[in-house]
Amino acid sequence: MADEALVVIDLQNDFCPGGALAVAGGDEIVPLVNDLIRRTDHVVLTQDWHPAGHSSFASSHPGAQPFTMIEMPYGQQTLWPDHCIQGSLGSDFHSGLAWTKAELVIRKGFRPDIDSYSAFFENDRTTQTGLAGYLRERGIDTLTLVGLATDFCVGFSALDAVSQGFKTTLRLDACRGIDLNGSLHAMLQRMRDAGVRLEDPLSD
């Protein structure tokens, strides 16, 4: 459909098994995502794209451990292992992903002092990526989101998609979560409350 797009979130090597910030089963969704790509006219990809020494890396904060929280000028920030460094093998899309059909790749997290989970906004919640404007100019108002990870970049992208006025579905079978201290359950509830349609054909 001309007014619908598939948005594939961060299906990159570092988020798949063997990567620096691996999501359990992250590579399992690749065949399903490829099938959705084949059946969708418009495809957008996002790519985590951090400079070395990014402020969200635990290694940038002496004595800090990955997966702990710190206060940043824009609010609370989870500290992560170094991952998806610009130009690295870890930042590449998974080798099995049929990514060449993508009409747009949104790179995020490239500003050294601010992290970016959402495909629409950086973590200060005001700096836009330009995706909403692109979609509107293309006449696209309906989105399906898939990718990694459900409770972070996919979830925040879905929440922002709804807030920007897009009809939004998240395919749970084509996502995998990190589940950091209950983050997966909390994000699923936030998405339901916001009006994101959570679709899981495996449980229908």
Side-chain angles (χ1 to χ4, degrees):
M1 298 291 289
D3 61 349
E4 298 180 6
L6 177 72
V7 183
V8 182
I9 305 291
D10 297 359
L11 197 37
Q12 295 166 258
N13 289 328
D14 267 348
F15 296 127
C16 292
L21 184 49
V23 179
D27 55 345
E28 298 171 355
I29 67 173
V30 172
L32 178 53
V33 171
N34 286 344
D35 187 52
L36 292 168
I37 288 173
R38 281 190 290 270
R39 295 190 281 116
T40 307
D41 289 338
H42 303 297
V43 178
V44 173
L45 305 181
T46 70
Q47 188 176 22
D48 227 23
W49 196 247
H50 296 304
H54 193 270
S55 62
S56 69
F57 295 166
S59 63
S60 298
H61 304 270
Q65 294 298 311
F67 309 111
T68 58
M69 299 286 287
I70 64 165
E71 193 69 28
M72 298 288 274
Y74 52 85
Q76 289 220 310
Q77 171 68 49
T78 299
L79 294 179
W80 305 107
D82 293 22
H83 67 281
C84 294
I85 294 173
Q86 297 170 358
S88 68
L89 180 63
S91 70
D92 288 349
F93 295 118
H94 186 281
S95 60
L97 181 65
W99 60 268
T100 56
K101 189 178 176 181
E103 298 171 346
L104 178 71
V105 177
I106 290 283
R107 284 177 167 164
K108 57 192 184 63
F110 55 81
R111 293 178 174 86
D113 297 326
I114 184 169
D115 206 5
S116 185
Y117 297 156
S118 170
F120 293 91
F121 290 94
E122 300 209 336
N123 286 8
D124 61 0
R125 316 302 306 139
T126 58
T127 304
Q128 299 189 44
T129 66
L131 179 56
Y134 171 85
L135 294 170
R136 290 190 187 105
E137 287 194 0
R138 297 290 308 276
I140 293 167
D141 64 7
T142 301
L143 305 178
T144 298
L145 272 64
V146 298
L148 306 172
T150 315
D151 39 343
F152 285 93
C153 294
V154 179
F156 282 103
S157 297
L159 292 172
D160 285 343
V162 169
S163 76
Q164 292 294 302
F166 296 97
K167 296 189 286 289
T168 305
T169 297
L170 189 145
R171 279 286 297 262
L172 288 170
D173 56 334
C175 299
R176 293 293 184 272
I178 296 175
D179 202 15
L180 190 60
N181 301 319
S183 58
L184 182 57
H185 175 78
M187 179 57 78
L188 291 174
Q189 191 58 54
R190 283 183 66 181
M191 287 191 286
R192 288 190 192 96
D193 292 345
V196 177
R197 181 180 177 221
L198 301 180
E199 183 178 308
D200 187 358
L202 298 177
S203 66
D204 288 349

